[in-house]
Amino acid sequence: MAVGEVFLSAFLQVLFDRLASREFIDLLRFRKFDDLLEKLKITLLTVTALLNDAEEKQFHSPAVEKWLHMAKDALYDAEDILDELATETLRYKLEAESKAGPNQVWNWNRISSPCSTPSSRGIESKLKKVIEKLELIAKYKDVLGLKDNVGGRSFGFKQRLPTTSLVDETCVYGRDHDKDLIIEQLLRDAPSSKIGVVPIVGMAGIGKTTLAQIVYNNDRVEKHFHLRIWVCVSDQFDVVRVTKTILRSVTLKHTDLNDLNLLQVSLKEKLVGKRFLLVLDDVWNKRNNDWDLLWNPLKTAAKGSKILVTTRNKDVASSMGTVPAHHLRVLSFEDCWLLFRSQAFENITNNEVYPNLETIGRKVVEKCEGLPLAAKRLGILLRSRQEENEWKDILNRKIWDLPDDESDILQSLRLSYHHLPAHLKQCFAYCSIFPTEYEFDKDTLVLLWMAEGFVQQPKAKKRVEEVGGEYFRELVSRSFFQESINNKSQYVMHGLIRDLSHFVSGEFCFRLGDRLKDGNQNRIFEKARHSSYIRGRRDVLSKFEPFHGVECLRTFLPLDPTGMIGISYLANKVPRDLLPKLTYLRVLSFNACRITQLPDSIGDLKHLRYLDLSHTAIKRLPDSTGTLCNLQTLILLNCRSLTKLPAEMGSLTNLRHLRISGSRLKEMPQQICRLKNLQSLSTFVVGKDVESGIRDLRNMLQLQGSLLISGLKNVVSFTDAMEANLKNKKELDRLVLQWSTSLGDPINNVDEEEVSHNPQVLRLQKDLSLGGYSRKRFPSFRETMKAYEQESTKQTLERSYSLDDSRNETVETDVLELLQPHKNMKEIIIKDFGGTKFPSWIGSPLFSNLILVRLSNCRNCSSLPPLGQLPSLKNLTVEGMDRIKRIGIEFCGDGCSSAMPFPSLETLKFDSMLQWEEWSSSGVEGRGDFNNLQNIEIRNCPKLTKLPHHFPGLKRMSIKGCEELETLPRVLTVDDSLEQGREFPAFLSFLYWHVPT
């Protein structure tokens, strides 16, 4: 079964928005499709008006369920047709614009007439077919008893009984610590007379109510409060009902009052001078006017009164709480097992009679993943079953196949889903394509949602990515997504939540691995729109045979949930065979699949929005890629064989994200300046050709995040730098300006095949005697690191000195001056700069957000900029500065300011400063230069003889490869007096290598 509302509301909104767009209307009139489209719109509205009633009845009627699936399938087909029309509209528009002059406005008369083309006749035929299909589906409403726009849906839910304050504490496990923390919050003296609100938040079934019950009945709590009140709020908040319940709890008398004013006046009188504890259990609504009404009579109570709120929603908790919410976590396996055993074995007096039941039971508990409700209900379910095969049956069942009258696990989870807005339901259901324990990140998932059309078009000036981000945060807030314990930037779904996503997505999403695991290898997924599969080390063509029968598939996504597979070797014939059959794809990924080419048929995927070819061995993209006018995201990370992008890239005017870090591009394609909608561009390579110059950046004003500009040595005119218009790119916060075209250390991020063709890497891996160590024994970690560092330093120096000596120092100095970014910048890295001085802007205090600066291999500069003036600078690295001999007052500022230099600097690194001899302080008496500096690292500075002595906040210092250093800063030892140790009062560690004693 699947909940039919999935995908539909936001989905239909997109359809109707497209129907209303000016360009769409013009094309339809031009093709005389007006009548058909109007008829389609009316039919769509007719069918969707029946969906609410079908939602409720599908759980009790297989016929309604089948109708619902047919309706959704037809609605998908309708969207595909409309998307096809919209795509042709865009292509004709691009064609007209290309024929128009620079100051002309495009019009339909500049394009060839499409009225009688095969494509036109094909779309007309498809429109008629889908209208007939929808009309036929709508006719069945009377037979099935479906009604239009039925409100007050129950979704087949049983009436939930209200919770009470009573609890059997003998069945509670693993909550002692949580209980103590909550009680401490409740009994703590309040700093003001304001009523304290303590929220408990967590997913459905995690035990929020149980925790509130054991706190409510605790002896210390009972003695502390004059009154204790329990109210089950539930999903329908009624201020009159809740007020009446509170009043009855206080007076212990029934009341017939229904007037809110009289109720509140009476309650106010009863609470005067009383310290109360009010538990509001199962709250669904954020604080609003109704909640404020409820609060009013409570304010007369005595100081120290508290309210304990339980909710599934973090946003509800934050809107009501006066203290941070207590996030309830899943139980440990052992606690979960104890809970399960207390229920399942209650009627079994001798466990030894059933030796295998405990083994099966432990596997059942594993499926619960620490969720108390699941452990308890499954335990109760198995209590009356004492046969081994019955236990195995329950173990192997899906959550939605459990008996409704014996298990309310799904009922509880479905309630959370029921309360999701329609646009979040489709986003959540889509996640059913992720395998067990799969970790995903927000940004990637949002891009996938965008590609599928799930994210509604933003209002005002919001970006669609921001809207998608809000969707994601809402699902986190409602406990559908949880932070990974392994990586805080990654998220996971609890196993039962994942089962819920399978339940609601039904036959429209599938994972190839599940098909094989279920033993139903011949099952056909004709209606499937979204799919994923787990990559193997070598995937052959036969693995993908199930996709041949899924012609309307929109998502083809390879995944590696373990992160251990590495590169998958995939024959080129796989995409060559598959892509012509999957023409409705919106998301296509061959990430980490070892393919070397894509077929030209990629250009036929007119619906494609998301293309990921990262970590492939692809050498070129087919020219037909330039026809993918709907493409929003193109990811080519670490495509180390890729040297050129298609010439027609400028036609991808809907492209919003282009990520090409780690490729070997020599220049950007012509007309890339037309990509005005780009939100992220990882790398821009300035080519030698005037057609691929830095000025192409001028109109990309929406760029956000990080940007690396390499090949700046090819900029021959400072006017080109000025036209790049970096100063007006307000949303960029990280900028790397690199004069060479090298994209990183060749030792890092090299795949297995490249190693065999890279003698430099091969030498480093096989010849471990670089540092003079014998190869008769395996070197120690320190020896290996030393060998690596020496080689790395050598490569850095070689690259520095291999820079073209014919470069114009004056031009490069002027170019950098005119590449001034917006003052919102947070990180700036300058690499391989050949000018003689740094720009005036880089040390300006106007860059108040700048927290990281790195100056690398700027070998012609003889002094450092006044970086001490940057108020927020926390991390500074200076390396490969060959002409620097002394660092002094100029480093701290211009000498005119009385402000303390480097007020925020915490980490300072110097590396490979071969001529550097002396480092002195600012010389201003009574003023510290590095008062907040915590970490210093100085490496490979062979001529350095002197360091400053006063670093009051220093915790760690590392000095390596500084053979001429005569004096070290004084470090506090055990024998030092307090007076001697004041230079480094916070010192923790001091590491120095290659320093003479």
Side-chain angles (χ1 to χ4, degrees):
M1 293 188 295
V3 175
E5 187 187 15
V6 165
F7 308 136
L8 295 182
S9 294
F11 159 96
L12 285 175
Q13 187 60 49
V14 172
L15 299 191
F16 297 146
D17 287 347
R18 284 183 178 171
L19 287 171
S21 71
R22 175 61 185 275
E23 291 162 5
F24 202 91
I25 291 171
D26 287 344
L27 176 65
L28 299 181
R29 287 175 178 168
F30 197 62
R31 289 188 162 199
K32 306 188 187 306
F33 283 160
D34 306 55
D35 294 340
L36 279 176
L37 266 295
E38 187 62 29
K39 192 173 184 180
L40 174 61
K41 184 173 183 179
I42 292 171
T43 312
L44 285 170
L45 290 171
T46 301
V47 172
T48 53
L50 302 171
L51 292 177
N52 288 349
D53 195 30
E55 294 290 354
E56 183 173 347
K57 293 179 178 177
Q58 65 152 333
F59 296 100
H60 314 290
S61 170
V64 172
E65 178 193 350
K66 188 171 183 179
W67 179 92
L68 202 51
H69 288 176
M70 291 173 60
K72 191 200 293 190
D73 190 46
L75 289 164
Y76 271 126
D77 289 342
E79 187 191 31
D80 287 336
I81 296 169
L82 292 176
D83 193 44
E84 194 172 333
L85 273 172
T87 300
E88 289 207 33
T89 306
L90 179 58
R91 284 182 172 173
Y92 288 132
K93 178 184 176 183
L94 292 172
E95 179 186 342
E97 286 178 340
S98 66
K99 294 180 179 180
N103 296 319
Q104 292 179 307
V105 178
W106 72 278
N107 62 68
W108 291 109
N109 296 325
R110 290 198 177 90
I111 63 174
S112 54
S113 174
C115 291
S116 60
T117 62
S119 173
S120 174
R121 293 194 296 273
I123 291 177
E124 184 175 358
S125 173
K126 291 178 182 177
L127 276 171
K128 290 179 178 178
K129 186 176 179 180
V130 77
I131 290 172
E132 290 176 3
K133 188 175 180 180
L134 287 166
E135 287 178 337
L136 180 62
I137 289 170
K139 286 179 181 177
Y140 279 93
K141 71 173 186 176
D142 294 329
V143 176
L144 297 173
L146 298 176
K147 300 177 182 179
D148 296 351
N149 292 320
V150 175
R153 294 171 288 169
S154 66
F155 265 67
F157 290 115
K158 295 183 295 184
Q159 182 66 38
R160 293 197 306 154
L161 294 174
T163 62
T164 74
S165 62
L166 302 182
V167 62
D168 180 3
E169 295 194 35
T170 62
C171 296
V172 180
Y173 297 89
R175 292 305 186 201
D176 288 342
H177 180 63
D178 298 288
K179 178 185 71 174
D180 292 341
L181 289 175
I182 296 297
I183 291 175
E184 182 184 345
Q185 289 274 21
L186 295 178
L187 303 188
R188 184 178 298 165
D189 290 336
S192 68
S193 58
K194 185 178 180 181
I195 299 173
V197 182
V198 180
I200 301 174
V201 65
M203 65 178 287
I206 204 164
K208 301 179 295 296
T209 298
T210 301
L211 177 59
Q213 288 168 335
I214 59 177
V215 167
Y216 183 92
N217 290 287
N218 180 266
D219 290 339
R220 292 170 60 203
V221 171
E222 186 175 357
K223 292 175 182 177
H224 183 78
F225 294 100
H226 303 133
L227 295 170
R228 291 176 303 138
I229 307 159
W230 182 281
V231 180
C232 178
V233 179
S234 194
D235 51 335
Q236 299 297 325
F237 175 65
D238 181 344
V239 66
V240 174
R241 178 182 67 84
V242 173
T243 304
K244 185 183 289 189
T245 303
I246 296 173
L247 181 60
R248 281 202 300 260
S249 297
V250 172
T251 63
L252 298 178
K253 294 179 181 178
H254 178 74
T255 177
D256 294 325
L257 291 175
N258 287 308
D259 182 276
L260 181 60
N261 177 60
L262 295 177
L263 285 168
Q264 292 207 334
V265 169
S266 178
L267 178 59
K268 179 181 178 181
E269 292 173 353
K270 300 296 183 184
L271 291 179
V272 172
K274 301 286 181 65
R275 183 167 60 239
F276 69 81
L277 169 64
L278 170 62
V279 175
L280 297 174
D281 186 42
D282 197 22
V283 176
W284 289 81
N285 305 99
K286 295 180 185 178
R287 184 169 178 175
N288 53 27
N289 290 335
D290 288 352
W291 279 112
D292 290 338
L293 276 175
L294 177 66
W295 247 243
N296 286 333
L298 306 180
K299 295 176 182 177
T300 59
K303 182 180 178 181
S305 294
K306 298 290 174 68
I307 299 176
L308 184 62
V309 173
T310 71
T311 178
R312 304 182 185 192
N313 193 323
K314 293 179 183 176
D315 288 343
V316 170
S318 60
S319 72
M320 300 182 71
T322 58
V323 295
H326 180 81
H327 294 271
L328 204 53
R329 307 299 180 188
V330 294
L331 296 178
S332 68
F333 175 82
E334 283 305 317
D335 286 325
C336 204
W337 164 248
L338 290 172
L339 174 57
F340 171 85
R341 190 177 66 177
S342 71
Q343 304 299 319
F345 294 107
E346 186 178 64
N347 296 334
I348 301 177
T349 56
N350 186 0
N351 289 7
E352 295 179 1
V353 177
Y354 305 98
N356 293 329
L357 293 189
E358 182 168 334
T359 302
I360 300 170
R362 286 185 175 273
K363 292 180 180 178
V364 171
V365 171
E366 286 178 3
K367 288 183 62 174
C368 297
E369 295 189 20
L371 199 67
L373 174 66
K376 184 175 182 179
R377 293 307 176 200
L378 289 174
I380 294 172
L381 185 66
L382 290 169
R383 180 189 301 169
S384 61
R385 295 163 168 83
Q386 298 183 2
E387 296 297 327
E388 185 176 326
N389 61 345
E390 292 179 305
W391 281 52
K392 286 182 177 178
D393 176 54
I394 296 299
L395 172 64
N396 294 323
R397 284 197 196 190
K398 301 291 187 184
I399 185 177
W400 53 85
D401 291 330
L402 296 174
D404 285 340
D405 58 340
E406 294 184 85
S407 172
D408 58 355
I409 303 171
L410 182 60
Q411 182 87 356
S412 179
L413 295 174
R414 273 174 46 203
L415 187 61
S416 289
Y417 174 79
H418 168 58
H419 280 274
L420 283 177
H423 59 274
L424 293 185
K425 288 180 177 176
Q426 59 187 350
C427 293
F428 166 67
Y430 181 76
C431 297
S432 67
I433 64 175
F434 295 146
T436 303
E437 298 181 355
Y438 181 73
E439 297 185 356
F440 50 91
D441 69 275
K442 176 178 74 74
D443 293 340
T444 299
L445 185 54
V446 167
L447 293 180
L448 292 174
W449 287 342
M450 286 168 50
E452 304 292 359
F454 297 159
V455 182
Q456 295 171 334
Q457 292 303 308
K459 298 178 181 179
K461 294 184 179 181
K462 268 190 180 177
R463 299 160 57 241
V464 67
E465 289 83 357
E466 291 179 80
V467 177
E470 290 172 359
Y471 289 7
F472 190 95
R473 286 187 289 274
E474 184 73 10
L475 286 169
V476 172
S477 174
R478 293 171 182 257
S479 303
F480 285 90
F481 298 159
Q482 300 171 349
E483 276 188 2
S484 166
I485 59 174
N486 303 315
N487 185 341
K488 293 298 185 183
S489 66
Q490 301 285 102
Y491 292 81
V492 296
M493 288 194 294
H494 186 278
L496 295 179
I497 292 290
R498 187 179 60 254
D499 287 348
L500 176 66
S501 71
H502 294 169
F503 173 76
V504 298
S505 62
E507 59 189 330
F508 293 94
C509 295
F510 79 95
R511 298 201 311 263
L512 186 60
D514 287 351
R515 172 182 177 274
L516 301 175
K517 190 185 301 181
D518 293 341
N520 192 1
Q521 299 186 22
N522 298 319
R523 181 182 174 190
I524 302 300
F525 298 91
E526 292 179 351
K527 292 188 171 98
R529 280 355 191 248
H530 312 292
S531 73
S532 69
Y533 72 94
I534 296 177
R535 294 189 291 107
R537 293 192 181 277
R538 186 175 295 274
D539 291 328
V540 296
L541 185 60
S542 59
K543 177 175 182 174
F544 303 97
E545 288 177 358
F547 290 103
H548 290 183
V550 196
E551 295 181 355
C552 294
L553 195 69
R554 296 182 174 192
T555 309
F556 182 89
L557 200 61
L559 300 172
D560 176 12
T562 65
M564 302 296 291
I565 295 174
I567 298 294
S568 296
Y569 288 89
L570 188 69
N572 288 324
K573 61 183 178 181
V574 173
R576 189 167 62 241
D577 181 72
L578 273 180
L579 295 189
K581 298 179 175 68
L582 304 177
T583 56
Y584 290 96
L585 283 177
R586 295 177 173 223
V587 170
L588 174 60
S589 173
F590 287 111
N591 187 318
C593 297
R594 193 65 176 175
I595 56 173
T596 58
Q597 62 183 31
L598 276 182
D600 289 335
S601 59
I602 187 74
D604 296 331
L605 305 182
K606 62 181 70 176
H607 303 277
L608 196 65
R609 264 87 171 166
Y610 180 101
L611 178 59
D612 185 358
L613 300 172
S614 300
H615 307 283
T616 63
I618 198 161
K619 298 176 181 177
R620 56 174 290 274
L621 293 177
D623 292 337
S624 60
T625 309
T627 66
L628 300 174
C629 56
N630 282 317
L631 197 64
Q632 298 171 346
T633 302
L634 178 57
I635 307 179
L636 302 166
L637 299 175
N638 293 310
C639 293
R640 297 193 175 272
S641 299
L642 185 66
T643 58
K644 190 175 182 180
L645 293 174
E648 298 301 318
M649 281 280 290
S651 298
L652 306 182
T653 53
N654 279 319
L655 195 66
R656 301 177 67 83
H657 304 278
L658 177 57
R659 299 176 182 174
I660 52 178
S661 299
S663 66
R664 302 198 185 281
L665 295 180
K666 297 178 181 178
E667 62 183 12
M668 304 306 287
Q670 295 182 11
Q671 299 186 348
I672 195 171
C673 58
R674 295 177 62 191
L675 306 184
K676 299 177 183 179
N677 289 317
L678 274 180
Q679 307 295 305
S680 68
L681 174 62
S682 62
T683 306
F684 186 95
V685 185
V686 181
K688 295 181 179 179
D689 194 325
V690 68
E691 297 296 328
S692 62
I694 193 173
R695 65 173 65 185
D696 285 344
L697 286 168
R698 61 185 177 274
N699 293 323
M700 299 181 189
L701 298 178
Q702 299 181 49
L703 285 179
Q704 300 203 351
S706 175
L707 172 63
L708 161 62
I709 306 176
S710 69
L712 284 168
K713 65 181 181 181
N714 294 322
V715 180
V716 296
S717 169
F718 65 86
T719 57
D720 288 350
M722 183 168 58
E723 288 189 38
N725 197 18
L726 294 185
K727 198 170 185 178
N728 287 325
K729 295 175 176 36
K730 301 179 181 179
E731 303 300 323
L732 281 178
D733 57 24
R734 184 177 188 270
L735 180 64
V736 182
L737 300 173
Q738 180 172 303
W739 267 253
S740 68
T741 53
S742 171
L743 293 181
D745 187 346
I747 294 174
N748 296 325
N749 303 318
V750 181
D751 58 52
E752 297 171 3
E753 185 172 318
E754 283 182 308
V755 169
S756 62
H757 301 293
N758 191 330
Q760 190 176 49
V761 175
L762 204 62
R763 184 178 78 242
L764 198 64
Q765 290 189 344
K766 293 185 177 180
D767 184 5
L768 293 172
S769 62
L770 287 169
Y773 300 108
S774 170
R775 285 164 41 170
K776 294 180 181 179
R777 64 177 177 84
F778 194 83
S780 68
F781 173 76
R782 177 171 292 189
E783 291 168 349
T784 305
M785 288 302 297
K786 177 180 178 182
Y788 171 83
E789 289 165 356
Q790 288 177 345
E791 181 69 11
S792 178
T793 300
K794 181 179 178 182
Q795 289 174 356
T796 300
L797 295 175
E798 286 175 352
R799 184 157 66 93
S800 175
Y801 284 109
S802 66
L803 297 179
D804 188 356
D805 290 334
S806 65
R807 285 160 50 180
N808 190 314
E809 296 176 354
T810 303
V811 169
E812 294 195 16
T813 301
D814 293 341
V815 164
L816 182 55
E817 185 68 47
L818 293 170
L819 288 177
Q820 177 177 345
H822 192 273
K823 62 183 180 181
N824 290 340
M825 195 63 55
K826 294 180 180 177
E827 299 183 15
I828 292 178
I829 298 174
I830 300 175
K831 302 176 68 175
D832 306 324
F833 171 54
T836 55
K837 66 177 182 178
F838 289 101
S840 58
W841 51 263
I842 195 170
S844 170
L846 293 176
F847 284 85
S848 57
N849 296 321
L850 200 57
I851 59 174
L852 180 147
V853 172
R854 180 180 174 188
L855 308 176
S856 179
N857 296 325
C858 304
R859 61 189 181 99
N860 291 331
C861 292
S862 57
S863 63
L864 293 175
L867 300 176
Q869 299 178 140
L870 298 172
S872 302
L873 184 64
K874 291 186 176 181
N875 193 312
L876 173 60
T877 299
V878 181
E879 58 188 359
M881 305 281 285
D882 297 346
R883 296 193 180 182
I884 297 287
K885 291 188 176 183
R886 291 177 177 80
I887 296 177
I889 189 173
E890 79 290 342
F891 186 42
C892 298
D894 55 15
C896 300
S897 173
S898 59
M900 180 182 69
F902 297 105
S904 303
L905 191 66
E906 296 176 356
T907 300
L908 177 59
K909 297 181 182 180
F910 292 103
D911 194 356
S912 301
M913 307 278 284
L914 302 185
Q915 304 301 320
W916 185 27
E917 298 175 359
E918 184 178 336
W919 178 15
S920 59
S921 62
S922 64
V924 179
E925 189 174 348
R927 186 183 73 178
D929 296 343
F930 300 93
N931 285 353
N932 290 312
L933 189 63
Q934 298 176 19
N935 303 288
I936 295 179
E937 184 177 326
I938 304 174
R939 298 180 4 157
N940 304 314
C941 301
K943 295 186 177 182
L944 182 63
T945 60
K946 183 181 178 183
L947 295 177
H949 277 229
H950 189 66
F951 301 113
L954 194 65
K955 294 181 179 179
R956 293 176 179 85
M957 176 180 285
S958 174
I959 301 176
K960 181 179 178 182
C962 303
E963 291 86 351
E964 299 298 321
L965 194 60
E966 297 173 356
T967 58
L968 290 175
R970 181 72 172 166
V971 179
L972 180 62
T973 67
V974 176
D975 297 329
D976 282 332
S977 68
L978 182 62
E979 185 66 28
Q980 289 173 316
R982 282 182 179 170
E983 293 173 352
F984 302 97
F987 213 82
L988 296 177
S989 68
F990 181 32
L991 174 66
Y992 61 95
W993 294 354
H994 302 302
V995 180
T997 58

